[in-house]
Amino acid sequence: MLTSLALIFLVGLAAASICQRIRLPRIIGMLATGILLGPYVLDFLDGSILSISSDLREMALVIILIKAGLSLDISELKEVGRPAVLMAFLPAVFEILAFVLLAPGILGVTLLEAAILGAVLGAVSPAVVVPKMVQLMETGYGTDKGIPQLILAGASLDDVFVIVLFSTFTGMAQGGAVSAMDFAGIPISILLGIAGGALTGWLLALFFESQYAKERYVRNSMKVIIVLGISFLLVALETWLEGTLPFSGLLAVMSMACVLQLKSETFVTRRLAEKFGKLWLAAEVILFVLVGAAVDIRYTLGAGLGAVLMIFFALALRSAGVLLCLLGTKLNRKERLFCVIAYLPKATVQAAIGSVPLALGLPCGKLVLSVAVLSILITAPLGALGMDATYKRLLNRRSR
């Protein structure tokens, strides 16, 4: 495992540095490293690290979501409330609709199989989008109209919506019944996640303040460990409650960090955000290299031109959904275009659930995995490169 970790860090950072020098996003180098070192190309990564790959990726996501929550301005988020809620589900609905309408003709699948395809591809990648939005909030780009906050909130919520739909559609494909509670679980999961995280954040802030009042000052490094430990428990709570009560662990983590930032002194949360920013330097490499390692590139060969066309048709309809969400806002054309670009990349969710239909023995399993892999290879670099190349031209920078 140590050799695999060394390869992940050293080769991943080297590839990221090369991409940066030729003005490409760093994550492209990390994703390429994962694909190259992974089990489907050179097979240099130890099986023990691949077996806990999903847990390591989730840990890295927790770190950047805490950083995002500590950097998020709640007052600015309130100003973009309605579009943020719409961005959580409308673009995904449009993309799923594109598959339902077009995939039977282009790919020769049934309506239900098309819906499964759409659900797999419907989620935007928080791994790609969240770090960029945090960077924009720190540098002031687009913050005058709350654009990074809007995209951050929408991207964090839409995964919950899409995964519930995916579970429902695969259950139907296996002959299971669908109840109203399956869909009622979506808002319940979101609300309980936000409420549980907010309560945890308030209690944490209270604990830190009480220790300070008693002259038992908790060092910032110790606070980071405590916040991380509780965040992992919140994510684990989602698994513990599975089948009993819908709960979004990742949303709870971000909600906890937001409330902690709101209830604590500014200098405290600034220091915590800096600490988590340093942790992210290592977590980023692990996240994107392991996302790349989960990509079975062999399946891209069987996807064909029809799959490529289908992905771009779906992205076009998804973009229309994003623009619909932004109707009635103060955003100008350039800012709306940036929102469309930011909602293109796919990676995390697709790598996590793309192989599930195949594992379940569904007839469409191999096709779903092929299209999921192809979507990662096309949209992750496209979205990352698009955001990096355009944010300075499309967004205003708030003067500091």
Side-chain angles (χ1 to χ4, degrees), residues 60-74 76-77 126 129-138 148-149 151-153 155-156 227 250-251 253-262 269 272-277 280:
L61 265 180
V62 164
I63 289 169
I64 193 58
L65 285 173
I66 295 170
K67 176 80 166 67
L70 292 171
S71 308
L72 196 60
D73 190 324
I74 302 295
E76 289 177 343
L77 184 59
V129 174
V130 172
K132 190 65 189 177
M133 295 309 112
V134 172
Q135 182 196 334
L136 294 183
M137 287 190 292
E138 290 174 343
Q149 294 90 332
I151 295 168
L152 179 63
S156 303
V227 170
L250 292 178
L251 267 183
V253 168
M254 195 163 76
S255 173
M256 176 199 69
C258 286
V259 173
L260 186 59
Q261 180 246 125
L262 204 62
T269 52
L272 279 178
E274 286 172 5
K275 295 273 186 184
F276 277 102
W280 173 243

Side-chain angles (χ1 to χ4, degrees), residues 84-384:
V85 172
L86 292 176
M87 291 278 273
F89 69 92
L90 206 56
V93 167
F94 272 56
E95 187 158 9
I96 293 169
L97 188 62
F99 274 93
V100 170
L101 293 175
L102 301 173
I106 295 174
L107 301 175
V109 293
T110 66
L111 283 176
L112 183 55
E113 289 171 341
I116 292 171
L117 260 171
V120 170
L121 270 69
V124 70
S125 172
V128 179
V129 174
V130 172
K132 190 65 189 177
M133 295 309 112
V134 172
Q135 182 196 334
L136 294 183
M137 287 190 292
E138 290 174 343
T139 52
Y141 281 98
T143 53
D144 56 333
K145 295 182 183 176
I147 294 168
Q149 294 90 332
L150 163 68
I151 295 168
L152 179 63
S156 303
L157 288 166
D158 95 324
D159 287 359
V160 179
F161 174 71
V162 167
I163 289 171
V164 170
L165 286 184
F166 171 75
S167 302
T168 304
F169 293 147
T170 50
M172 290 168 65
Q174 289 180 290
V178 179
S179 67
M181 279 306 296
D182 293 329
F183 295 100
I186 297 170
I188 293 171
S189 171
I190 291 169
L191 291 173
L192 284 180
I194 293 171
L199 177 63
T200 307
W202 178 72
L203 290 173
L204 261 179
L206 204 64
F207 169 72
F208 292 148
E209 296 245 342
S210 68
Q211 293 303 297
Y212 184 77
K214 293 174 184 176
E215 297 185 353
R216 297 173 185 166
Y217 181 66
V218 182
R219 293 179 57 191
N220 286 319
S221 300
M222 191 62 68
K223 286 178 182 174
V224 167
I225 296 169
I226 293 168
V227 170
L228 260 183
I230 290 173
S231 299
F232 293 154
L233 280 176
L234 286 173
V235 173
L237 187 60
E238 181 176 349
T239 306
W240 299 340
L241 293 175
E242 194 172 347
T244 307
L245 197 64
F247 180 83
S248 174
L250 292 178
L251 267 183
V253 168
M254 195 163 76
S255 173
M256 176 199 69
C258 286
V259 173
L260 186 59
Q261 180 246 125
L262 204 62
K263 295 294 180 182
S264 303
E265 295 292 332
T266 307
F267 74 92
V268 173
T269 52
R270 188 181 296 123
R271 289 296 304 276
L272 279 178
E274 286 172 5
K275 295 273 186 184
F276 277 102
K278 290 172 183 175
L279 273 179
W280 173 243
L281 293 175
E284 178 186 33
V285 184
I286 290 174
L287 175 60
F288 291 119
V289 171
L290 290 179
V291 165
V295 173
D296 189 345
I297 200 165
R298 298 171 300 176
Y299 281 98
T300 57
L301 301 174
L305 181 61
V308 177
L309 288 173
M310 191 61 245
I311 289 168
F312 280 105
F313 284 144
L315 287 178
L317 208 55
R318 179 185 187 83
S319 301
V322 172
L323 293 174
L324 190 61
C325 295
L326 301 175
L327 286 177
T329 63
K330 296 178 182 178
L331 274 60
N332 60 38
R333 288 183 181 180
K334 287 183 177 181
E335 290 161 342
R336 293 179 192 214
L337 176 59
F338 180 80
C339 292
V340 167
I341 294 167
Y343 250 55
L344 293 179
K346 299 163 191 312
T348 330
V349 176
Q350 289 70 29
I353 66 174
S355 60
V356 171
L358 186 62
L360 293 174
L362 299 181
C364 62
K366 187 172 180 179
L367 178 65
V368 171
L369 181 55
S370 301
V371 179
V373 168
L374 200 58
S375 74
I376 295 170
L377 296 175
I378 292 171
T379 64
L382 185 66

Side-chain angles (χ1 to χ4, degrees), residues 13-56:
L13 285 173
S17 180
I18 291 167
C19 284
Q20 196 170 25
R21 282 177 177 272
I22 58 176
R23 298 188 177 181
L24 288 174
R26 289 168 55 84
I27 71 157
I28 293 177
M30 296 177 203
L31 286 169
T33 298
I35 292 170
L36 192 65
L37 297 179
Y40 309 112
V41 182
L42 297 177
D43 195 19
F44 282 175
L45 299 181
D46 192 84
S48 57
I49 204 164
L50 292 173
S51 65
I52 58 167
S53 171
S54 61
D55 295 314
L56 291 173

